[in-house]
């Protein structure tokens, strides 16, 4: 309840519902703006100051880029508060858990990871020499499922798949994005073609290895910003029914698995069937979120492999197609809403790139216009 905002009204309840993120958005105003329009008084500054404080405390955007705080301690000490002494008993339990995670589970998981990556490279190199055809596709699918299941064991992944009759067989599969291991989790149950920027190092070796066995789309750095080229190559891929479904994460960045943020429209411009997938991790056993602005890839994978386990649910949603008169943005928002609803996530309209970029001036101007409408101008 907002009390005494305007001098002409004694109490204003949540008929005026204002939700801010980074201090720049008015989510909804259900009361007729003419009913509260008044002359500006100096005391009205306190209202704007109050809104600013609320924006800092309850920010819808930046809190999605930090690890979710748990209501109870899971003996990992991965929250922003770090380790706190509570009792001798809990300290001993935490110490035993530390020894088990770092000196028993971690070496075993590292061995599995090396075996899985090595076997993937060897098998894909062999498959690459086979002639294109049904046998090569089926062998590749068998090898990919086997290798990714080995890699999932390297982080003790316990995945529950729901509504498997909706799995993608071709077209484009889109999912919410929490961590690079999303690819491993989803590839334990289905084979996908991947799209992304060509990398160097170990990741580049894996990209080239998988590219020999089946069709993936790796863009050079100079090609990534060419939206028309990306759309063209995606369309060429999905039009070939013999190729694997394309797995895409339209958010373009990792979110902490509490919400789904704006989907980029590129994958929704292709004009093909979209297979939505909702992924929800259980943070009680380990936080899968990758905060790329604070952690490197190696540190993130180390955190994953020293957690108790990666426990998650995956829901395959019914395939969706663009409706008549619906543009790519509206289609993307409709798919995003379905993923958020099924996964129990908050549906946000904000661009996840606000994690790194500044707010556009055009977004600031909208609430300024709304505020100006509240004031009478002689």
């Amino acid at each position: 309840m907002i009390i005494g905002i305007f001098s002409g009204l004694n109490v204003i309840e949540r008929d005026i519902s204002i939700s801010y993120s980074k201090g720049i958005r008015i989510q909804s105003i259900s009361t007729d703006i003419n009913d509260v329009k008044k002359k500006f008084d100096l005391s009205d500054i306190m209202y704007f100051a109050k809104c600013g404080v609320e924006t800092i405390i309850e920010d819808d955007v930046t809190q999605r880029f930090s690890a979710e705080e748990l209501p109870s301690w899971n003996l990992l000490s991965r929250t922003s508060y770090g380790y706190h002494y509570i009792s001798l008993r809990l300290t001993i339990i935490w110490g035993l858990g530390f020894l088990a995670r770092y000196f028993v589970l971690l070496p075993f998981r590292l061995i599995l990871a090396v075996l899985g990556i090595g076997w993937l490279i060897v098998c894909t190199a062999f498959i690459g020499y086979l002639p294109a055809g049904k046998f090569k596709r089926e062998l590749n699918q068998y090898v990919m499922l086997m290798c990714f299941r080995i890699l999932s064991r390297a982080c003790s992944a316990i995945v529950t798949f729901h509504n498997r009759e909706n799995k993608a067989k071709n077209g484009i599969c889109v999912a919410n994005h929490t961590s690079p291991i999303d690819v491993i989790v989803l590839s334990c149950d289905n084979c996908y073609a991947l799209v992304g920027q060509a990398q160097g190092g170990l990741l580049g070796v894996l990209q080239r290895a998988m590219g020999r066995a089946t069709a993936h789309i790796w863009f050079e750095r100079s090609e990534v910003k060419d939206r028309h080229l990306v759309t063209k190559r995606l369309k060429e891929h999905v039009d070939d029914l013999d190729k694997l479904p394309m797995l895409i994460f339209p958010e373009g960045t990792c979110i902490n698995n509490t919400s789904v943020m704006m989907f980029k429209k590129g994958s929704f411009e292709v004009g093909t069937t979209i297979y939505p997938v909702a992924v929800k991790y259980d943070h009680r056993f380990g936080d899968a979120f990758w905060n790329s602005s604070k952690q490197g890839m190696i540190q993130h994978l180390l955190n994953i492999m020293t957690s108790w386990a990666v426990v998650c649910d995956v829901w395959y949603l019914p395939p969706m197609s663009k409706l008549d008169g619906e543009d790519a943005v509206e289609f993307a928002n409709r798919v995003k809403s379905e993923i958020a609803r099924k996964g129990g996530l908050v549906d946000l309209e904000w661009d996840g790139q606000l994690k790194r970029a500044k707010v556009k001036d055009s977004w600031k101007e909208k609430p300024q216009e709304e505020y100006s409408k509240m004031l009478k101008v002689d």
Side-chain angles (χ1 to χ4, degrees):
M1 182 179 293
I2 304 174
I3 302 177
I5 295 177
F6 297 105
S7 59
L9 300 173
N10 293 327
V11 176
I12 298 180
E13 298 182 352
R14 288 195 182 272
D15 293 332
I16 302 179
S17 176
I18 303 178
S19 174
Y20 297 87
S21 186
K22 287 183 179 283
I24 56 176
R25 179 172 64 140
I26 295 181
Q27 186 177 28
S28 61
I29 299 182
S30 57
T31 300
D32 187 353
I33 200 69
N34 293 322
D35 295 339
V36 296
K37 185 179 288 189
K38 62 180 291 296
K39 292 183 178 179
F40 176 77
D41 294 327
L42 187 61
S43 61
D44 293 336
I45 295 175
M46 297 305 299
Y47 167 65
F48 297 102
K50 172 179 175 291
C51 292
V53 173
E54 289 176 344
T55 300
I56 296 173
I57 296 174
E58 299 180 0
D59 184 358
D60 284 342
V61 175
T62 55
Q63 64 181 353
R64 312 298 174 179
F65 302 132
S66 59
E68 182 182 10
E69 295 293 341
L70 298 174
S72 60
W73 183 33
N74 63 354
L75 299 177
L76 288 177
S77 300
R78 296 274 168 79
T79 66
S80 59
Y81 296 103
Y83 172 76
H84 288 272
Y85 177 82
I86 300 176
S87 67
L88 178 61
R89 179 183 178 185
L90 279 179
T91 301
I92 293 174
I93 293 174
W94 178 84
L96 293 175
F98 178 87
L99 294 175
R101 289 186 290 110
Y102 279 87
F103 295 97
V104 179
L105 293 178
L106 179 59
F108 179 68
R109 290 169 175 172
L110 286 174
I111 292 173
L112 284 178
V114 172
L115 288 175
I117 294 173
W119 187 239
L120 175 65
I121 293 173
V122 170
C123 290
T124 52
F126 170 75
I127 295 173
Y129 288 105
L130 297 178
K134 182 179 179 181
F135 176 73
K136 181 178 181 179
R137 291 196 302 270
E138 292 181 350
L139 180 61
N140 175 70
Q141 292 182 21
Y142 177 80
V143 168
M144 288 295 102
L145 287 174
M146 177 175 55
C147 292
F148 278 111
R149 286 171 181 174
I150 293 175
L151 292 175
S152 71
R153 300 299 187 271
C155 51
S156 298
I158 303 172
V159 188
T160 304
F161 295 95
H162 307 271
N163 309 116
R164 298 174 75 174
E165 66 277 7
N166 295 325
K167 282 196 302 184
K169 296 180 176 60
N170 45 56
I172 294 178
C173 177
V174 299
N176 56 300
H177 197 22
T178 304
S179 165
I181 68 169
D182 292 340
V183 175
I184 297 176
V185 168
L186 294 176
S187 297
C188 288
D189 190 52
N190 197 10
C191 289
Y192 298 97
L194 303 177
V195 57
Q197 181 174 314
Q199 303 289 338
L202 178 60
L203 189 56
V205 172
L206 292 175
Q207 285 181 336
R208 290 189 292 273
M210 292 188 295
R212 287 193 295 266
T214 189
H216 298 272
I217 299 178
W218 309 123
F219 292 98
E220 297 298 331
R221 189 176 299 273
S222 59
E223 299 174 332
V224 172
K225 295 183 179 180
D226 190 339
R227 185 168 60 87
H228 297 290
L229 176 61
V230 174
T231 303
K232 178 183 177 181
R233 292 184 63 179
L234 282 177
K235 185 169 180 58
E236 291 174 352
H237 181 96
V238 300
D239 285 344
D240 189 345
L241 299 181
D242 290 332
K243 292 184 178 180
L244 296 174
M246 182 67 67
L247 177 61
I248 297 177
F249 301 102
E251 288 170 297
T253 189
C254 294
I255 313 297
N256 69 356
N257 208 227
T258 61
S259 62
V260 184
M261 303 190 78
M262 186 182 78
F263 280 5
K264 300 298 186 345
K265 66 179 182 178
S267 54
F268 300 89
E269 292 177 323
V270 179
T272 187
T273 302
I274 298 293
Y275 293 84
V277 176
V279 182
K280 179 64 177 177
Y281 291 92
D282 191 334
H283 292 184
R284 293 176 298 175
F285 302 95
D287 189 9
F289 169 59
W290 181 32
N291 189 348
S292 57
S293 61
K294 294 184 178 180
Q295 295 179 335
M297 175 71 78
I298 300 300
Q299 182 182 356
H300 171 64
L301 294 178
L302 181 62
N303 284 342
I304 293 291
M305 298 177 73
T306 55
S307 297
W308 297 112
V310 173
V311 181
C312 70
D313 288 272
V314 174
W315 289 271
Y316 296 110
L317 280 66
M320 302 174 66
S321 300
K322 187 184 295 185
L323 302 176
D324 293 337
E326 188 177 44
D327 60 26
V329 174
E330 294 170 339
F331 185 26
N333 289 335
R334 184 161 59 90
V335 173
K336 175 170 67 73
S337 297
E338 287 299 311
I339 290 176
R341 180 188 61 80
K342 194 66 176 180
L345 306 169
V346 180
D347 184 7
L348 296 178
E349 299 177 0
W350 293 102
D351 187 351
Q353 295 304 321
L354 287 174
K355 182 179 184 179
R356 304 176 182 87
K358 293 183 179 181
V359 178
K360 297 179 181 178
D361 291 336
S362 59
W363 294 353
K364 299 178 184 179
E365 293 171 357
K366 183 177 179 180
Q368 291 172 353
E369 292 176 0
E370 296 292 343
Y371 291 144
S372 66
K373 293 176 184 179
M374 295 182 183
L375 305 176
K376 288 182 177 179
V377 180
D378 294 334

